[in-house]
Amino acid sequence: MKLGQGVEWGLHSCVNMSWTAPGEAVSSARLAEFYKLPAAYLNKQLQALVRAGILTSVSGPRGGFSLARRPDRISVLDVVLAIEGNDHAFRCEGIAKDAPGASMDADYARTCLISQTMRHAEVTWRTELSRQSIAGIAQSIERRFPEARESTVLQLVGPRT
């Protein structure tokens, strides 16, 4: 499975926003500059997160984006699905029905062992991503890089008053 770069951008952006004060907006331009990303494309990913209810968007000169929910209530899977969509990674076309001796009446998408194996792997993958939260990632980063939170917030929203 290959995920688009927007997933990485969205996850990093959510972690960064988890460190800001509740309701404090971070502009997409500042996030793009922080990571040296194309602003228009990053904004598109952030808008997908708004549509999914992960972020809120604030317009105006001090506008930008902020988390719509607590970071412990946003899973990695939430971000992946918001950006990549909810389609299954594996789509069984039922080619086994065309094999010699196959039954045209069989539901190969349900009974095919290859299809079952792939669906099991996807359920396992989704389950693991649903267990990982933005808050958990942020805490792990802070343990490993104690200065990360403060320096990131300073660069994205300026000094706290």
Side-chain angles (χ1 to χ4, degrees):
M1 167 175 297
K2 182 177 181 178
L3 299 175
Q5 60 193 11
V7 171
E8 177 185 12
W9 299 2
L11 289 167
H12 278 283
S13 295
C14 286
V15 168
N16 293 152
M17 287 180 229
S18 78
W19 288 333
T20 63
E24 185 169 32
V26 178
S27 77
S28 60
R30 280 225 156 150
L31 282 165
E33 182 183 326
F34 186 76
Y35 289 113
K36 297 180 180 31
L37 301 173
Y41 190 61
L42 175 62
N43 194 61
K44 180 180 173 184
Q45 307 313 310
L46 298 176
Q47 290 296 333
L49 296 174
V50 169
R51 286 189 297 278
I54 295 168
L55 298 181
T56 57
S57 177
V58 178
S59 53
R62 296 192 44 87
F65 297 90
S66 62
L67 295 181
R69 308 191 300 252
R70 292 186 352 220
D72 63 330
R73 300 280 186 217
I74 302 170
S75 74
V76 172
L77 183 63
D78 293 335
V79 174
V80 169
L81 296 179
I83 293 176
E84 293 289 324
N86 200 18
D87 291 340
H88 292 289
F90 178 79
R91 288 172 286 291
C92 179
E93 301 294 331
I95 66 170
K97 73 180 180 310
D98 296 324
S103 168
M104 293 301 291
D105 298 333
D107 181 358
Y108 288 103
R110 286 180 25 102
T111 61
C112 174
L113 293 178
I114 291 171
S115 181
Q116 289 175 9
T117 298
M118 297 304 286
R119 293 204 192 282
H120 174 74
E122 183 169 353
V123 167
T124 302
W125 176 79
R126 286 179 180 231
T127 300
E128 183 57 30
L129 292 182
S130 72
R131 290 180 180 150
Q132 305 299 319
S133 72
I134 294 300
I137 293 172
Q139 290 165 359
S140 294
I141 291 170
E142 289 179 68
R143 279 192 301 273
R144 189 163 180 196
F145 305 101
E147 72 290 344
R149 179 182 188 147
E150 185 178 336
S151 86
T152 299
V153 171
L154 185 62
Q155 290 182 49
L156 293 178
V157 296
R160 291 192 171 165
T161 55

